Amino acid sequence: WNERICAECYATNGAARILNTKNLITRIVNNYARISFNFGPTLLSWLKENAPRTYRMILDGERRSRKTHLGHSSAMAQVYNHLIMPLASRRDRITQIRWGIADYEHHYGAKPEGMWLAETAADTESLELMAQHGIKFTVLAPHQCKRIRLLKNETGEEGGAWTNTADGAVDTKRPYLVRFDSGVSITVFFYDSPISRAIAFEGLLNSGENFASRLKAGFNDTSEPQLVHVATDGESYGHHHKYGEMALAYTLRLLEEDKTVKLTNYGNFLEQFPPAYECEIVENTSWSCVHGVERWRSNCGCNGGKPGFNQLWRAPLRKALDELRDAIAPLTDQEGANLFKDVWEARDGYIDAILDQSPQGMDRFFRKYQSHSLSVAERVRALKLMEMQRHAQLMFTSCGWFFDDIAGIETVQIIDYAARVLQLARQLFDVQASLLEPAFLTRLAEARSNVASAGDGAQIYAQQVSQKQLGLEQVAAHYAISSMFSSFAEETDLFCYRVWRDSWEIFSSGRGRLALGRAKIVSAVTTEQESFSFAVLDRKSVV
């Protein structure tokens, strides 16, 4: 799926064609150099490994944006694994912000000014935490603004009368400051909802001329500085709308040639025109659920539109994951005290080990956070503990609740993450973890699928998830069987494992073959290792 979207959208926006009236290519441009954008860390890591040319075009576009906009990048950071921030624990929110910032710095080589909230799901606490971590701005939907007022009135006094902005009535052409009791603040830009909706759903990308005209029509007749800006899913430009990247490229060219307007980005605009107004937001709201954030925890009515389906499964799924997260927290405290100076600070810093899994990267991580010089076995336990907590973050990825049924691939994926949490908990805590899986499955059984054959969440776990769990022994078996048909080097990478072959011989007799060997399997993630002897018989049948 990533390969398809990359071919249709991510790659094409890095090299978008502009045609003339004879349908001939006149220019090929990098849209990333001229738009504000964000890539989720998991997607960006996939692009780096699997689509390096596209990845380089994204980085090149980001660098060019900084040159164009006085050092302000058009790339925004993102809360790490696209979870719904108002529904997360405070501890998880902090980790999401810190991991998102660290990932941004890893790819772009600078600190982010802005951060995108998954589904623009926001509450005051999340905004304050972002501000405390140095984030200067974010982007929200206009209906998420509760009320506004001038920072200083006509006499220069602080504050003034509040104006309610119900039903998205806020002026989206100016920035707004959100101030907090802790003394920090963050700027919010509310995007133009009608134009954004026209891009996504009303065919505005069918014509670059119409797109440019619609954007220009968003300005008021005033001498005050104004920012007309829209926010859409990036997949709109080439995937949802074929050739949408070309419409975008042509629109940007028309705007660049127009002397009445100027392309900018949020950081550049904010430096030139700081907020004159402050605002308060509507708590627990998002851009894709009219009920706030209920799409990710209840049967609110927002869905993909499959007739007869309900989303009653959302609430028990959320409870199952919340309860699992809370159950492993004291176990993490207990085990972490034996390994780290502060286990939760170590979790926040684990992003560095994720981004650099080399021996040197691992050494740096342990030198910074370990409570003492850890043995090889203790390191393995420490990394398993961190991986358990990493998957406890991943299991809250928002798409698990977004669609119609618990049996969908997105929801099964987040249950996969939960299964990995349970697997690592069993390896770490033995008897203490024995009750975790039964309790999880009991709650999961309350989440019934709309598909009769799928049953409920517990059945989905048994039929689709639990069988995916593997250990080093299964990896060794995979390697042994594959060695009959593939020529492996003495040292080879096999997904997230490294294999060192000690010996391997093959014997043939008639149509049959027998392979005997011994290999050491090492997890590149937890560094756990074990050696295995194996025998594989390939017996061809003769009819």
Side-chain angles (χ1 to χ4, degrees):
W1 184 256
N2 279 350
E3 289 174 352
R4 175 185 172 184
I5 307 302
C6 181
E8 296 175 349
C9 177
Y10 309 138
T12 54
N13 274 285
R17 296 166 292 167
I18 295 178
L19 308 181
N20 61 17
T21 55
K22 296 180 180 180
N23 212 33
L24 298 175
I25 298 174
T26 60
R27 291 179 67 190
I28 296 178
V29 298
N30 187 336
N31 284 341
Y32 299 115
R34 300 179 295 169
I35 62 171
S36 294
F37 65 90
N38 79 285
F39 276 88
T42 49
L43 174 57
L44 203 54
S45 66
W46 183 90
L47 289 168
K48 183 178 182 180
E49 181 176 349
N50 297 281
R53 183 170 179 268
T54 300
Y55 176 75
R56 288 194 300 270
M57 289 190 292
I58 294 167
L59 297 193
D60 180 60
E62 188 277 335
R63 283 192 296 268
R64 289 166 59 185
S65 76
R66 273 189 274 168
K67 291 180 180 179
T68 303
H69 300 301
L70 305 177
H72 298 283
S73 174
S74 291
M76 295 172 62
Q78 180 195 283
V79 290
Y80 188 78
N81 65 272
H82 213 269
L83 58 67
I84 301 302
M85 289 285 275
L87 299 181
S89 67
R90 180 181 176 86
R91 179 181 284 156
D92 285 357
R93 298 185 208 203
I94 291 172
T95 298
Q96 287 289 309
I97 293 168
R98 291 180 178 175
W99 283 16
I101 291 172
D103 188 85
Y104 183 99
E105 293 175 341
H106 173 76
H107 292 289
Y108 300 117
K111 290 185 178 296
E113 292 184 285
M115 176 169 278
W116 180 263
L117 288 161
E119 304 292 337
T120 74
D123 63 352
T124 298
E125 183 180 22
S126 297
L127 295 183
E128 184 171 12
L129 288 172
M130 289 163 62
Q132 289 172 349
H133 284 83
I135 298 299
K136 295 181 180 179
F137 68 85
T138 191
V139 180
L140 299 180
H143 67 261
Q144 293 179 264
C145 184
K146 179 181 179 181
R147 59 181 187 172
I148 65 171
R149 68 176 179 180
L150 279 166
L151 285 169
K152 293 184 178 181
N153 59 28
E154 295 178 354
T155 62
E157 296 175 340
E158 287 285 334
W162 286 98
T163 300
N164 291 329
T165 55
D167 302 321
V170 63
D171 184 352
T172 61
K173 290 178 285 296
R174 59 166 65 109
Y176 298 87
L177 195 68
V178 182
R179 297 191 286 185
F180 308 100
D181 292 339
S182 60
V184 297
S185 60
I186 191 171
T187 296
V188 175
F189 292 92
F190 297 100
Y191 64 81
D192 188 303
S193 185
I195 304 178
S196 300
R197 186 166 53 249
I199 295 169
F201 305 112
E202 298 170 11
L204 192 55
L205 290 177
N206 293 334
S207 166
E209 290 90 347
N210 292 343
F211 190 1
S213 296
R214 183 70 182 273
L215 289 171
K216 288 176 60 179
F219 288 104
N220 293 330
D221 185 11
T222 175
S223 60
E224 293 183 2
Q226 302 172 74
L227 180 69
V228 172
H229 57 115
V230 295
T232 62
D233 287 328
E235 288 78 6
S236 296
Y237 306 101
H239 171 58
H240 297 314
H241 299 274
K242 193 173 183 179
Y243 307 126
E245 82 286 352
M246 294 174 63
L248 176 60
Y250 190 62
T251 298
L252 294 171
R253 180 189 174 188
L254 292 175
L255 294 174
E256 284 177 325
E257 294 174 347
D258 193 318
K259 302 303 181 183
T260 66
V261 296
K262 183 178 180 180
L263 290 180
T264 187
N265 64 20
Y266 292 113
N268 192 2
F269 186 89
L270 185 58
E271 181 179 18
Q272 295 180 71
F273 311 109
Y277 286 78
E278 68 174 318
C279 77
E280 292 180 355
I281 66 164
V282 183
E283 299 291 341
N284 301 323
T285 50
S286 67
W287 74 346
S288 51
C289 177
V290 297
H291 312 96
V293 295
E294 295 307 308
R295 187 165 193 162
W296 299 276
R297 67 178 176 186
S298 72
N299 182 31
C300 69
C302 292
N303 54 64
K306 290 188 178 180
F309 275 33
N310 66 66
Q311 285 70 52
L312 293 169
W313 52 269
R314 286 176 177 160
L317 174 63
R318 171 69 62 177
K319 289 180 181 177
L321 298 180
D322 282 348
E323 290 167 358
L324 177 58
R325 175 201 62 206
D326 295 341
I328 65 171
L331 298 176
T332 300
D333 280 325
Q334 178 182 326
E335 181 65 18
N338 301 322
L339 303 166
F340 297 106
K341 290 178 284 189
D342 185 312
V343 68
W344 301 109
E345 285 188 10
R347 186 182 79 164
D348 289 342
Y350 184 57
I351 183 63
D352 295 330
I354 295 170
L355 294 169
D356 182 4
Q357 293 183 329
S358 68
Q360 297 80 8
M362 291 294 184
D363 286 343
R364 283 192 294 271
F365 168 73
F366 282 115
R367 281 197 301 270
K368 187 172 183 179
Y369 297 105
Q370 65 189 1
S371 59
H372 61 282
S373 181
L374 301 183
S375 67
V376 172
E378 286 177 319
R379 277 196 171 201
V380 171
R381 291 187 66 82
L383 289 172
K384 285 185 175 182
L385 190 67
M386 292 293 99
E387 277 297 294
M388 183 185 71
Q389 282 295 328
R390 181 172 77 91
H391 282 79
Q393 297 281 302
L394 296 175
M395 69 186 186
F396 288 106
T397 304
S398 68
C399 58
W401 288 265
F402 192 83
F403 299 102
D404 287 342
D405 194 70
I406 190 174
I409 58 173
E410 299 86 0
T411 312
V412 172
Q413 180 62 52
I414 67 170
I415 299 174
D416 283 347
Y417 293 137
R420 180 61 172 159
V421 171
L422 291 166
Q423 181 188 31
L424 289 168
R426 286 193 299 271
Q427 295 174 12
L428 287 166
F429 308 122
D430 299 324
V431 177
Q432 294 167 291
S434 62
L435 298 178
L436 292 178
E437 187 172 61
F440 179 73
L441 293 178
T442 297
R443 181 67 74 186
L444 209 56
E446 299 173 10
R448 297 202 58 81
S449 171
N450 293 282
V451 181
S453 59
D456 57 43
Q459 290 173 275
I460 292 170
Y461 184 93
Q463 296 166 4
Q464 300 186 50
V465 175
S466 60
Q467 62 187 1
K468 297 178 185 176
Q469 296 186 33
L470 55 82
L472 297 183
E473 185 175 353
Q474 288 77 21
V475 178
H478 177 90
Y479 173 79
I481 295 171
S482 298
S483 72
M484 298 288 285
F485 311 101
S486 301
S487 180
F488 289 122
E490 289 189 4
E491 180 180 336
T492 188
D493 289 334
L494 194 62
F495 301 101
C496 60
Y497 298 89
R498 298 191 182 101
V499 182
W500 278 268
R501 188 178 67 207
D502 296 326
S503 63
W504 186 83
E505 291 185 87
I506 190 164
F507 304 91
S508 299
S509 177
R511 293 173 60 86
R513 296 188 303 161
L514 173 67
L516 301 175
R518 183 171 178 80
K520 180 172 68 174
I521 312 296
V522 182
S523 168
V525 179
T526 67
T527 69
E528 183 180 23
Q529 59 182 274
E530 192 171 349
S531 293
F532 297 89
S533 297
F534 59 83
V536 183
L537 177 62
D538 178 21
R539 183 179 179 182
K540 299 291 193 301
S541 298
V542 179
V543 179

